[in-house]
Amino acid sequence: MIKRISKNIASNIIFARRRIAKSKILDKESCRILAYHAIESSDPSKDLMGLAVLPSVFEMHMRYLKEEGFCVIGLLDLAESLRKGIAPPKRSIVITFDDGYKSILTNAMPIVKKFDFKATLFVNIYFLEQKLPKHVYWHSWQTLDWGDLIKLGQAGFSIGSHALTHKRLTEIDREALIGEIAGSRETIEKNIHDKIYAFSFPHGKYTNETKNILKQEGFLCACSSVNGINDKNADIFTLKRTEITGFDDSPIKFEKKLLGCYDWLGSFNFYASNVA
Ligand SMILES: [Zn+2]
């Protein structure tokens, strides 16, 4: 609770200052990548990390982006520009979802399409195959199946890998690491009949070896869980992201995230930026 209060106080102070310079901050040539998980209702007594965002709140976020003139671009388009040393467009945003919850198809996809935006979904094989222990509350949420991924691909979503088992990639040996990266890529590609090029690190954890294996395996970019924006000097294999949670349930709270009021957290406590 103390952590939550101090984070809110710090972010409010930053917000008060940044809001005055809002246009200047947002009009920098940099891209903010939003990281969502599930788009559905959840039990607030259990979902203390706010991993589920209500569909109505998600729609409010998308409407805010549209009305405030943000430029929603595809993740691979961003990676390609950065690879060429080209700065991202002003006010650019990339939308991503981690894990592979069913609600991305049933709730998020129609809203993304309604606003004519692009999005990337990072799927974890153990989520899709329901091999994760159910005592962790979000493991009990309904997940996508392979047919759903094909439907999402047809709806314009780009599919990426979020590894095989959802283990921290910093805690396994090289052989297992190759299995997580190459194994997940092969399984996804076999089932969706398409190539994939983007990766997101489970729990945001990575090493230089992880990055090297990703490059060897033909990936073109990877998303970390470090808070922040990506300018033309960004490392395309550790792109920064901004987690959007169920607590970002008003335009002002969403605006705080877009203005980078939590960027000072860096990689600290990514999944709990609003939680005690
Ligand atoms: Zn995850």
Side-chain angles (χ1 to χ4, degrees), residues 39-41 53 55 58 102-112:
I39 306 297
E40 59 195 276
S41 59
V53 173
F58 180 68
K102 191 83 159 183
S103 59
I104 305 311
L105 175 72
T106 53
N107 297 333
M109 185 270 278
I111 297 169
V112 169

Side-chain angles (χ1 to χ4, degrees), residues 37 98-99 127 162 166 202-203 271:
H37 288 84
D98 276 7
D99 296 340
F127 269 83
H162 191 43
H166 212 266
H203 311 279
Y271 290 107

Side-chain angles (χ1 to χ4, degrees), residues 35-38 96-101 104 120-124 127 161-162 166 199-204 223-225 241 270-271:
Y36 289 92
H37 288 84
T96 68
F97 302 90
D98 276 7
D99 296 340
Y101 301 103
I104 305 311
T120 295
L121 167 68
F122 293 109
V123 289
N124 178 271
F127 269 83
S161 169
H162 191 43
H166 212 266
F199 192 89
S200 88
F201 305 109
H203 311 279
C223 288
S224 75
S225 301
R241 288 195 291 176
F270 181 77
Y271 290 107

